Amino acid sequence: MRSGPTGTVRIDELARRAGCTLTDRAGDAITPTSGDCQTTNGKSIQIAAFTDHAKRDAWVTFVTATGYPVEKRDLWAVGGEDKAAVTAAADAILG
């Protein structure tokens, strides 16, 4: 699996690559940079960038425990209700 962008990636760049529109930006101790994104086909996803793998893994564990699909890469991840939208966004970010 390709890892995609490395380092702390700006959330607006991830959203641009995913082809979605940021509708809300958020941040906390685990996900200093995250945002809700609306895809072109109307699906809502969340994109998050991390400063380290432990924080990424904590976010992935939390989102997965809520029953939502997640695609994780090096220092970013995508989650949401619709598995196809999550996978398509992650693939688009990778190019």
Side-chain angles (χ1 to χ4, degrees):
M1 189 181 317
R2 297 173 292 170
S3 64
T6 60
T8 303
V9 181
R10 291 181 27 188
I11 197 68
D12 57 335
E13 176 62 15
L14 290 173
R16 184 191 67 74
R17 290 181 185 188
C20 63
T21 303
L22 281 173
T23 57
D24 187 29
R25 289 190 170 117
D28 57 36
I30 293 175
T31 52
T33 308
S34 66
D36 295 329
C37 229
Q38 191 78 20
T39 67
T40 56
N41 64 355
K43 302 293 183 182
S44 291
I45 60 171
Q46 186 175 43
I47 299 175
F50 306 93
T51 55
D52 61 55
H53 295 118
K55 289 178 180 175
R56 181 212 53 205
D57 293 345
W59 186 85
V60 168
T61 298
F62 173 78
V63 173
T64 302
T66 64
Y68 292 119
V70 173
E71 292 281 336
K72 72 176 184 178
R73 299 300 188 269
D74 188 19
L75 290 175
W76 57 273
V78 179
E81 293 181 10
D82 185 88
K83 173 68 173 158
V86 168
T87 300
D91 289 347
I93 291 170
L94 291 172

